[in-house]
Amino acid sequence: MADRVPAWLAARPSARVLWLQGRNLWRRWPLALAVLAAVFLALGALGRIRAVIYVIALAALSPRAVLVVAAVITATLALRHRRRLRDNWHRHWLAALPGDVSLTVRTAAGPVALWLAAAALIVLMSLAAQLPAWVPARLLGYCACGVVLGVALAAAFTAVISRGGQSGRAARALPHSRYAAARAASGARRRGVSLAPLGDWPRADTQFRDRPTIRARSLVLLLLAVPMGVAAGPVLAAAAAWLIMLHLINLLVALARTAFSASWWLAPTPLGPMRFAAALSHRTFAAQVGASALLIAIAYVALGPESLRTVCAIAVLWLAAVGVLGTAACAAALRTPSIAASALHRWRP
């Protein structure tokens, strides 16, 4: 069978691997592009909601906050991506070859691609909201500066850690189970077979990602972006809301991540998608509901009763999106057992 890879990729092994992985993904999921386009257009249509218009305009009027948030998110994603690349490089197709792309470029590729998608979404929502052209332009400009700053901070932090003896610290690092809740099973649970313990997988992954040492970095940078003279009450409310929103996002990401790992172990069993989704996501969804209720209470105290309706609507939309995306991830994980060997399954924290 002839290799249909374009000729200009022959001298670029990393780009060629990406081409082959993308072609394999297209053959396995032919409707993925159409589904992503539909989801993207649906998210862009949120620009017609008044609360979304207010948030976009407020972000455009707070460029320093946008810069700091973009830098924090980019630096966090870059550090995690670099760690995944370092831990999984021995299983990569090109592990035995000299790298044609530096580790810094590979580290920045993921966050930059994510911010390009976010920039396109901002433009689409601004068009739907009929905002002036300077609003998305200002947001994109400060987001781009934040991305560059975040990549630079991640590179500098990695260089400092490497000079200080990162290899010695990695040898003494605690395993991931150090942060997972370990509970002894009762006699009845030992004898019986149940899918209920699957619900602990996403919670354990989220608990590992919400470690105080990680959250403290983003919280410090968020507090530095607060102007001088602001009262302590709104600052504390904003910090609490920021941590809760990060927790909500981590819960959703952990559900999608553990779905593929769990499907690998349960591949020989005749398990349906809905039963699998219910067993895996019931604890995560309960945590989402609790965190959303806490976020609504903070908004009520900080912004007043007039914001309660808008915040409740956003919370309901978020919970609906979590249910749909979680069910879709579980169904996709059970579609074929070979998905366990793909890049999605190897995506480790």
Side-chain angles (χ1 to χ4, degrees), residues 254-312:
L255 177 60
R257 185 193 310 277
T258 54
F260 292 92
S261 301
S263 68
W264 188 21
W265 296 104
L266 298 174
T269 62
L271 187 62
M274 296 304 298
R275 187 182 176 192
F276 175 62
L280 187 66
S281 62
H282 68 283
R283 295 182 185 275
T284 303
F285 193 77
Q288 292 271 3
V289 172
S292 300
L294 185 58
L295 193 61
I296 291 173
I298 293 176
Y300 176 80
V301 173
L303 302 178
E306 61 275 4
S307 65
L308 188 61
R309 183 175 180 179
T310 301
V311 177
C312 289

Side-chain angles (χ1 to χ4, degrees), residues 183 189 193-200 279-280 282-283:
R183 294 177 296 182
R189 290 182 63 183
V193 178
S194 174
L195 294 175
L198 282 177
D200 292 331
L280 187 66
H282 68 283
R283 295 182 185 275

Side-chain angles (χ1 to χ4, degrees), residues 69-163:
V69 170
V72 170
I73 295 177
T74 303
T76 304
L77 293 177
L79 290 174
R80 291 182 177 179
H81 193 200
R82 187 184 185 94
R83 183 171 55 184
R84 288 195 298 268
L85 290 174
R86 182 194 60 201
D87 295 342
N88 299 325
W89 183 249
H90 65 281
R91 295 186 294 182
H92 197 268
W93 292 359
L94 306 178
L97 300 178
D100 59 327
V101 179
S102 64
L103 182 59
T104 302
V105 175
R106 292 198 303 268
T107 300
V112 169
L114 180 62
W115 279 110
L116 288 177
L121 184 60
I122 290 174
V123 172
L124 187 60
M125 294 175 67
S126 301
L127 291 176
Q130 297 180 354
L131 294 173
W134 67 268
V135 174
R138 191 172 188 180
L139 284 176
L140 296 183
Y142 280 96
C143 283
C145 295
V147 170
V148 174
L149 180 60
V151 172
L153 289 175
F157 180 78
T158 305
V160 171
I161 292 298
S162 299
R163 271 193 223 103

Side-chain angles (χ1 to χ4, degrees), residues 6-14 16 100:
W8 64 274
L9 291 179
R12 299 171 177 84
S14 297
R16 185 166 184 171
D100 59 327

